[in-house]
Amino acid sequence: MTDVVVVGSINVDMTSYLARWPGVGETVTAINTRIGLGGKGANQAVAAARLDSSVTMIGAIGSDSFGQDALDRLRRANVHLIPAPAQAEATGMAFIDVGPEGGNIIRLAEGANQTLSPEHIDSNAKTIAKAKILLVQNEVPIETSLRAAEIARAHDVRVIMDPAPAPVPFWSKDVLQAFDVITPNAHEAHLIFGALPQTLCEAQRAAEELRDFGPRGAIVTMGGLGVGWSIGTSRGSMAAPTVPTVDTVAAGDCFNGALATFLAQGAEICDAIQRAVYAAALATTRHGAAEATPTANELHEFGTTLGSNILESSRV
């Protein structure tokens, strides 16, 4: 049995690190530029695999050299990719600028990701049915994610949806109720129900209110602040540990991949969230996307260094 199946995007990331943000019409020289594996689906798949999950990914890449590079990087990360047939479209690309404080601006070229279809999902229904967790995001057509979720829930596979990039207008209740857990950030939660959470208490309340829109549970991520959640009878908030952040590109994807891993391993909701927050925080101390996600040993060492008192969360 596969622990985690990911249906999602595969990109090659071109990341430039800037000493300052340019003004409109201004040219600035990057401190450094990196090429690496990206796409929310691939990032989450690698994050789960590096934490010792068995991971299968269903995604689309082009027949160009970037596609081969992405495939090679996934293989080295121990992610088994079931690729959709090669398309005339180019492999997806992300052009990322990272500012001096670690914040980022991302421009996406969807490419082959938008060719991943419900028919590809049907061809791999048995793979999804044998998983413990299905991870989906909003960088492939929503019809494809919905078909994967339908198959998963028919076989008691828990479905986690990361609704990013945020659809505008946001999805209806009919779409949201297809997922067991959604993991929006503050901006995405705002688009769903009209209020922007700014504190961890507000994030928890937002997660509780989001359940009225269809999903069985919600986790609202608040970047460096932490998270608030409401899933089943578990609800609470947890502050993120303070770390020397250099790059936040991978944080949300690392959180989702780690969450899926620990839930697949049988952890209770609050414990899985706690460990996922740690993994995401550690990822921000490194450059890059998929390659920034920690291994299981690194995460254990990080938690030991911080001490159990920092792990305390607010739970009811």
Side-chain angles (χ1 to χ4, degrees), residues 43-44 47-48 51 135 160 162 181-184 218-223 226-229 231 238 249-263 269-281 283 293-294:
N43 292 343
Q44 293 177 18
L51 292 170
L135 277 174
I160 300 173
D162 176 6
V181 178
I182 62 169
T183 60
I219 304 170
V220 177
T221 61
M222 300 288 289
V227 301
W229 74 88
I231 303 172
M238 177 188 174
V249 168
D253 294 332
C254 182
F255 176 86
N256 282 281
L259 178 70
T261 289
F262 298 125
L263 290 176
I269 291 291
C270 57
D271 293 329
I273 291 173
Q274 184 180 77
R275 298 172 197 174
V277 167
Y278 263 43
T293 58

Side-chain angles (χ1 to χ4, degrees), residues 91-214:
T91 299
M93 302 286 291
F95 305 91
I96 305 168
D97 293 332
V98 179
E101 304 301 324
N104 60 78
I105 294 174
I106 302 175
R107 291 153 290 140
L108 284 178
E110 298 170 329
N113 291 310
Q114 287 305 301
T115 70
L116 189 64
S117 69
E119 289 72 27
H120 295 136
I121 302 305
D122 287 336
S123 298
N124 295 284
K126 290 182 180 180
T127 298
I128 295 171
K130 293 178 182 179
K132 296 177 181 177
I133 303 288
L134 172 69
L135 277 174
V136 289
Q137 323 81 34
N138 193 37
E139 287 186 341
V140 299
I142 186 59
E143 296 81 8
T144 303
S145 296
L146 288 173
R147 181 57 184 145
E150 181 182 12
I151 293 169
R153 290 178 68 173
H155 293 86
D156 296 321
V157 178
R158 180 178 279 170
V159 182
I160 300 173
M161 161 57 82
D162 176 6
V168 180
F170 213 89
W171 300 315
S172 66
K173 287 186 178 182
D174 288 343
V175 172
L176 289 171
Q177 66 186 8
F179 313 118
D180 293 303
V181 178
I182 62 169
T183 60
N185 62 21
H187 169 68
E188 291 147 6
H190 180 207
L191 290 177
I192 298 173
F193 71 95
L196 180 66
Q198 298 183 353
T199 67
L200 290 182
C201 287
E202 290 175 356
Q204 180 183 330
R205 287 198 296 270
E208 292 168 354
E209 291 187 32
L210 285 174
R211 295 177 65 175
D212 294 334
F213 288 81

